């Protein structure tokens, strides 16, 4: 399975913060926002990842992540010159996907919960059709909402319904088999001039090949698109990290625990950031898992 992080858009709901910097490079806790969706793909054992952003912002992502080799990844980059819809990421990323399946994650979504890696790997294996992830919310009328049958198949999607038939908001994480390349290529822009990800998902619903996995109690799904939600996400991350003594979306630790890099390589990454508490945490994890301290 290949991975795509869509980190485009202009972040207008966060103005003036995002006038000079990409939203996905803003800090959430002690790390840039893009670490969180990147970590989701890594937890799903995905190592070939395409990051899509604006021509202005791509150099900053390249500076932050490079080619991904230090994390045992292969990271490439592509431009989305204007925000023309989430589903355009699948058109832009067609060559990256090739003959494989793909996981698409939005660059401003944060997921957290015990056992999340197992859920991801289980539902990405031998994928037929699409898998979306639902999260129960109190205000489903603000979201795309999924309705499932007794077998867990997704049978309907409503966009911001006035009278929602469920409270399962569809999150910004999507798994697709290779059919999505042709489905995305055949999309027509909606009334607002965008290629809609809901139209992709509805195509799979019509084929009877869509499933919704509910992330229920014990999981957190955070959208960081407004100043208030960005602050709440930072507070959540800080609280959980202080209570548990582990860091959420520490990509160096994930790379080590997944076997993408060894303990010595992880330790060297920590040394490069040793002036920060984050860097020292990476060094400690590497030592716990076998690295010899310098």
């Amino acid at each position: 399975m290949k991975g795509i992080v869509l980190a485009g858009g202009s972040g207008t709901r966060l103005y003036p913060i995002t006038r000079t910097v990409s939203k996905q490079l803003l800090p959430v806790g002690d790390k840039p926002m893009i670490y969180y969706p990147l970590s989701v793909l890594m937890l799903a054992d995905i190592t070939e990842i395409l990051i899509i952003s604006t021509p202005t912002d791509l150099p900053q992502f390249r500076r932050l992540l490079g080619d991904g080799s230090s994390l045992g990844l292969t990271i490439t980059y592509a431009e989305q010159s204007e925000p023309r819809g989430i589903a355009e990421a699948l058109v832009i990323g067609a060559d990256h996907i090739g003959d494989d399946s793909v996981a698409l994650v939005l660059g401003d979504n944060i997921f957290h919960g015990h056992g999340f890696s197992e859920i991801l790997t289980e539902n990405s294996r031998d994928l037929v059709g699409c898998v979306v992830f639902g999260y129960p919310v109190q205000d489903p009328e603000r979201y795309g909402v999924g309705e499932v049958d007794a077998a867990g198949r997704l049978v309907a999607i409503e966009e911001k319904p006035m009278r929602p038939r469920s409270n399962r908001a569809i999150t910004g994480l999507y798994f697709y088999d290779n059919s999505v390349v042709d489905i995305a290529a055949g999309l027509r822009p909606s009334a607002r001039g965008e290629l809609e990800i809901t139209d992709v998902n509805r195509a799979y619903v019509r084929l009877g090949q869509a499933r919704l996995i509910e992330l229920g109690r014990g999981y957190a799904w955070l959208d960081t698109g407004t100043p208030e939600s960005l602050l709440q996400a930072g507070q959540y991350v800080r609280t959980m990290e202080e209570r548990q003594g582990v860091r959420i979306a520490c990509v160096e630790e994930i790379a080590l625990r997944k076997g993408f890099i060894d303990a010595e390589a992880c330790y060297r990454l920590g040394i490069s950031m040793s002036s920060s508490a984050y860097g020292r945490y990476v060094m400690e994890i590497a030592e716990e898992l076998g690295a010899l301290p310098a």
Side-chain angles (χ1 to χ4, degrees), residues 186-198:
L187 291 178
R188 295 182 179 181
S190 65
R192 59 178 184 167
E194 296 190 358
L195 300 183
E196 306 288 352
I197 199 67
T198 297

Side-chain angles (χ1 to χ4, degrees), residues 28-290:
V28 178
D30 58 357
K31 58 194 75 70
M33 187 187 299
I34 197 171
Y35 274 33
Y36 296 88
L38 180 62
S39 72
V40 169
L41 299 180
M42 295 171 69
L43 288 171
D45 290 325
I46 296 170
T47 59
E48 296 179 62
I49 297 169
L50 175 68
I51 294 175
I52 299 175
S53 190
T54 68
T56 300
D57 294 325
L58 276 178
Q60 299 176 72
F61 289 109
R62 285 194 176 98
R63 182 180 177 188
L64 175 66
L65 299 169
D67 64 2
S69 58
S70 64
L71 296 170
L73 308 175
T74 300
I75 297 179
T76 53
Y77 301 87
E79 294 182 359
Q80 185 185 45
S81 57
E82 297 178 4
R84 289 184 288 263
I86 295 171
E88 192 187 34
L90 300 165
V91 177
I92 295 170
D95 289 343
H96 169 71
I97 299 168
D99 297 325
D100 212 337
S101 54
V102 63
L104 170 63
V105 61
L106 303 188
D108 61 358
N109 275 217
I110 295 174
F111 298 86
H112 179 244
H114 178 70
F116 191 42
S117 180
E118 289 76 11
I119 289 177
L120 296 174
T121 54
E122 178 182 346
N123 286 284
S124 63
R125 192 181 302 120
D126 301 322
L127 179 63
V128 175
C130 86
V131 174
V132 299
F133 295 83
Y135 190 81
V137 295
Q138 291 184 338
D139 48 355
E141 64 277 359
R142 295 180 51 227
Y143 300 91
V145 176
E147 183 181 357
V148 299
D149 64 14
R153 288 177 299 187
L154 189 62
V155 296
I157 302 172
E158 297 178 285
E159 276 297 324
K160 299 181 179 179
M162 292 183 63
R163 295 180 177 83
R165 287 182 286 182
S166 90
N167 69 337
R168 299 180 185 92
I170 295 176
T171 71
L173 174 63
Y174 317 89
F175 287 177
Y176 299 111
D177 67 9
N178 194 253
S179 299
V180 79
V181 174
D182 291 334
I183 291 173
L187 291 178
R188 295 182 179 181
S190 65
R192 59 178 184 167
E194 296 190 358
L195 300 183
E196 306 288 352
I197 199 67
T198 297
D199 290 339
V200 174
N201 297 334
R202 282 175 174 158
Y204 280 102
V205 169
R206 289 193 294 271
L207 293 169
Q209 294 181 341
R211 289 187 294 126
L212 185 145
I213 306 300
E214 184 165 341
L215 301 175
R217 182 172 297 180
Y219 287 90
W221 169 54
L222 307 170
D223 179 358
T224 54
T226 66
E228 294 78 15
S229 60
L230 181 63
L231 177 61
Q232 290 168 0
Q235 292 172 333
Y236 173 84
V237 168
R238 179 179 179 183
T239 298
M240 296 302 294
E241 290 183 344
E242 288 181 348
R243 286 181 179 177
Q244 298 179 350
V246 298
R247 276 178 157 74
I248 299 171
C250 177
V251 293
E252 296 84 3
E253 179 180 4
I254 295 171
L256 174 57
R257 294 189 183 278
K258 283 290 185 178
F260 302 161
I261 60 175
D262 61 26
E264 298 298 335
C266 185
Y267 189 80
R268 289 193 295 271
L269 292 173
I271 287 178
S272 71
M273 302 178 286
S274 59
S275 296
S276 69
Y278 181 91
R280 293 190 292 275
Y281 172 83
V282 172
M283 294 168 65
E284 291 169 4
I285 292 296
E287 287 184 37
E288 287 179 13
L289 296 179

